[in-house]
Amino acid sequence: MSIPFRLIVASMLMVCAATSVFAETGCLVPPAGSAGRSAVDLIYSTPQPGETPGKFYTNDNPYRLNCSSGAASSTTYATNVTDVPGAGCWVEYKGGGTQYPNNYYQNGRVVNFSIQQCPIDDYMPIIFVGLGGFGYFIVRRSNLA
């Protein structure tokens, strides 16, 4: 192998390794801690403005822990979820008074996670039918003689 090829491969490996290192922090709220607002585990990652980072979060754009069926490939979900030991968090401020845990609707635990995009597996039958139909018409139009 040539030296430039080895440098390119080494650079690509370092970039791939570095991309998995960057994780987000959020508040994982199980259904039991969601005050009836969700039937699935959700991770909230938007901090409550003006509050201690890592403790209080808004209910904006939570991540699911898996892809829902029929999700588009642009849909994101949380993966590689790991707990931050001994760290509790709260979501969805009720308003009024000071912002302490009893003034929040949902409670959970702080976690680190990575974001993934949903795969296109749900669309594979449609893709195969489309490609098969396209191939049928190409073969039918060509002169085989």
Side-chain angles (χ1 to χ4, degrees):
M1 283 191 251
S2 67
I3 292 177
F5 179 74
R6 289 181 183 176
L7 289 174
I8 290 171
V9 170
S11 299
M12 287 175 32
L13 286 173
M14 285 191 283
V15 167
C16 290
T19 56
S20 64
V21 172
F22 300 113
E24 289 198 37
T25 300
C27 187
L28 172 62
V29 177
S34 71
R37 286 170 165 69
S38 177
V40 296
D41 294 338
L42 294 176
I43 297 179
Y44 299 88
S45 62
T46 307
Q48 182 75 31
E51 278 300 312
T52 309
K55 283 290 187 189
F56 301 101
Y57 293 86
T58 69
N59 60 343
D60 296 337
N61 305 319
Y63 293 102
R64 295 176 65 106
L65 293 183
N66 54 25
C67 275
S68 54
S69 61
S73 62
S74 62
T75 304
T76 55
Y77 69 102
T79 185
N80 301 326
V81 179
T82 57
D83 285 344
V84 174
C89 55
W90 297 270
V91 177
E92 196 175 357
Y93 182 56
K94 294 178 190 177
T98 56
Q99 293 185 359
Y100 287 108
N102 59 352
N103 288 330
Y104 282 78
Y105 286 112
Q106 304 180 66
N107 64 327
R109 63 187 190 275
V110 178
V111 294
N112 293 321
F113 64 98
S114 299
I115 298 172
Q116 295 282 339
Q117 287 187 311
C118 292
I120 62 169
D121 292 350
D122 292 343
Y123 299 107
M124 293 310 287
I126 296 169
I127 292 171
F128 286 139
V129 168
L131 287 174
F134 180 71
Y136 172 78
F137 287 113
I138 294 296
V139 170
R140 191 161 183 228
R141 289 182 60 188
S142 66
N143 292 330
L144 297 176

